[in-house]
Amino acid sequence: MTKTRIAVFVSGGGTNLQALLDAEAAGKLHSGRIVLVVSSQPGAYALTRAEKAGVPAVVCSRKELGSQAAFETALLKALDQHGAEMIVLAGFMSILSKDFTDRFPERILNVHPALIPSFCGKGYYGLKVHEAALARGVKVTGATVHFVNEIPDGGRILLQKPVMIEEGDTPEKLQRRVMEQAEWIILPQAAEMVAADIAERKEHAH
Ligand code: GAR
């Protein structure tokens, strides 16, 4: 079966990108191949991770490109150049318009560091999510992988994994535990599920 060509969109440290690269190297992401990394931030460490893994990487910054339309045109061009069929948002902090997400129905996944529908939607990203969970005093949080549509964190849920809050947690400690115990596990799993599904549908279409 031909592997599904995957683009990973990042903005920061790229530990979730690393989990995907490691899963591919370990044969756990066998239905897909990471063919492109796109960073919305010029200096992101995720770019170094891509380089180390020998994966082509490009920067598309909304700020530098000046408008949402120019930003999305640049994204589409990069995706097209690398024949990407599926997109994984792995700590990608830019918003994608309905016009963009409509082009990839159930072909864009995102990892969110909470159990949706808790602590999600506009304004909930990165450490802010964990700050909100601790402020609310929940005893269990976790991570969610879901499809991306025009509603922030609103697409169909693919996988979730709970993580316990511990005494003395800080947002930073909790963020790390949610990554280790949930995100880095369920993101590669969900990516494999979707990549396998796309590869299978291609096979049947032939
Ligand atoms: C991760 O915790 C991810 O779930 C979160 O940002 C972090 C990125 O870390 N994403 C969001 O909050 C999206 N709304 P990474 O760059 O090390 O993968």
Side-chain angles (χ1 to χ4, degrees):
M1 202 138 33
T2 20
K3 293 187 189 238
T4 300
R5 298 175 68 82
I6 305 172
V8 184
F9 287 10
V10 296
S11 300
T15 64
N16 280 290
L17 165 66
Q18 193 64 55
L20 291 163
L21 291 167
D22 292 349
E24 188 184 342
K28 289 181 190 159
L29 183 46
H30 51 86
S31 303
R33 188 153 79 87
I34 301 167
V35 296
L36 172 69
V37 170
V38 179
S39 174
S40 66
Q41 290 292 334
Y45 185 67
L47 290 165
T48 306
R49 296 184 190 271
E51 194 185 324
K52 282 186 179 161
V55 176
V58 297
V59 174
C60 289
S61 154
R62 194 193 167 293
K63 208 170 141 195
E64 283 175 5
L65 290 158
S67 71
Q68 187 71 18
F71 172 57
E72 292 187 352
T73 300
L75 291 176
L76 290 171
K77 192 174 156 208
L79 291 169
D80 192 50
Q81 275 171 349
H82 292 86
E85 303 162 283
M86 166 183 159
I87 303 166
V88 180
L89 308 185
F92 186 63
M93 299 302 175
S94 288
I95 295 285
L96 298 171
S97 73
K98 175 169 163 54
D99 189 55
F100 186 95
T101 58
D102 277 354
R103 288 173 188 256
F104 303 95
E106 306 221 318
R107 283 176 178 240
I108 311 176
L109 3 172
N110 178 47
V111 61
H112 182 74
L115 295 173
I116 291 174
S118 290
F119 313 116
C120 67
K122 207 169 175 284
Y124 287 101
Y125 56 87
L127 263 190
K128 287 181 195 285
V129 177
H130 305 291
E131 282 163 9
L134 291 176
R136 185 63 184 82
V138 293
K139 301 299 175 199
V140 184
T141 183
T144 303
V145 179
H146 62 92
F147 280 125
V148 174
N149 61 16
E150 71 280 9
I151 305 157
D153 299 322
R156 181 155 73 83
I157 292 171
L158 285 158
L159 291 176
Q160 290 189 306
K161 201 167 187 293
V163 173
M164 300 307 289
I165 307 285
E166 288 177 13
E167 212 159 295
D169 263 349
T170 59
E172 290 79 9
K173 280 191 195 170
L174 183 57
Q175 179 180 53
R176 182 78 192 177
R177 187 176 325 108
V178 168
M179 285 175 161
E180 284 173 357
Q181 296 184 2
E183 296 185 49
W184 301 341
I185 300 165
I186 63 172
L187 184 60
Q189 279 177 355
E192 170 57 25
M193 277 165 50
V194 176
D197 196 53
I198 293 171
E200 209 164 294
R201 274 187 277 157
K202 264 192 299 187
E203 196 90 341
H204 288 302
H206 284 147

